[in-house]
Amino acid sequence: ETGVTQTPRHLVMGMTNKKSLKCEQHLGHNAMYWYKQSAKKPLELMFVYSLEERVENNSVPSRFSPECPNSSHLFLHLHTLQPEDSALYLCASSHGTGRATEAFFGQGTRLTVV
Amino acid sequence: AQKITQTQPGMFVQEKEAVTLDCTYDTSDQSYGLFWYKQPSSGEMIFLIYQGSYDEQNATEGRYSLNFQKARKSANLVISASQLGDSAMYFCAMREGTNMNTGFQKLVFGTGTRLLVSP
């Protein structure tokens, strides 16, 4: 059982829809991340929240809007997406300082924009 | 800029045999971390093993070992005694050294290697 849970697992939405992806972690971590995984491309880091403050935004279009209401929850709000935004969206979390602060990932949300 | 290169899009191995998945990296940082993740068809990225740039010994975790050759900038994953459940995508990733003490990390991933284990 994963410590990072993402819902929904699958989402199909039209280009005019508004939807939200949810991520929840029960590992006591203080950093959370959104990654995008497109076919045949490396994972791309989209956003990083550390201690509920956004510390990284990798030139992501404004149609993606993250929200981190507390250290256990992370949302990705979607609106007016494009077909090229279809991908697997992975949430991850990690904890603290030190050497081997590996990130733990959720199972992802498979998003299809039609 | 940092870069991870995985040159093997796909690998085949027979059950119970060992397999090596290649990973080379490019960085100007002196301090960095290298990770391997496994992604089964379910989508979840599962952490396998970590190697720090200052670690003198190669990391090992059960059937996984990391062949770290710093001068060649390679961090190959060795899976011993392959099992059918090892069939998955495998990703090599690197963490920027500048974030070692900030409580969060930026991971740069390679394009992955698909491993298929046959009976």
Side-chain angles (χ1 to χ4, degrees), chain A residues 35 58-59 79 86 89 107 109:
Chain A
Y35 282 87
N58 281 350
S59 303
H79 64 97
S86 298
Y89 289 84
Q107 290 185 298
T109 295

Side-chain angles (χ1 to χ4, degrees), chain A residues 5-13 18-24 32 34-36 46-47 64-69 73-79 81 85 87-91 108-113:
Chain A
T5 304
Q6 290 186 242
T7 54
R9 293 292 311 280
H10 300 273
L11 178 63
V12 179
M13 59 185 290
K18 289 185 179 181
K19 296 287 185 183
S20 296
L21 310 185
K22 179 182 177 182
C23 177
E24 189 172 354
M32 296 188 76
W34 279 116
Y35 282 87
K36 176 183 179 182
M46 300 174 71
F47 301 104
F64 295 92
S65 174
E67 179 190 1
C68 187
H73 294 86
L74 184 66
F75 294 90
L76 187 62
H77 303 300
L78 316 170
H79 64 97
L81 294 191
D85 296 323
L88 180 68
Y89 289 84
L90 289 161
C91 173
T109 295
R110 174 71 62 185
L111 174 67
T112 303
V113 181

Side-chain angles (χ1 to χ4, degrees), chain A residues 9 33 37 56 99 101 103, chain B residues 37 39 42 55 95 105:
Chain A
R9 293 292 311 280
Y33 314 78
Q37 186 178 24
E56 190 83 12
R99 297 171 56 252
T101 53
Chain B
Y37 282 86
Q39 187 179 40
S42 60
D55 293 339
R95 178 181 64 201
Q105 57 181 283

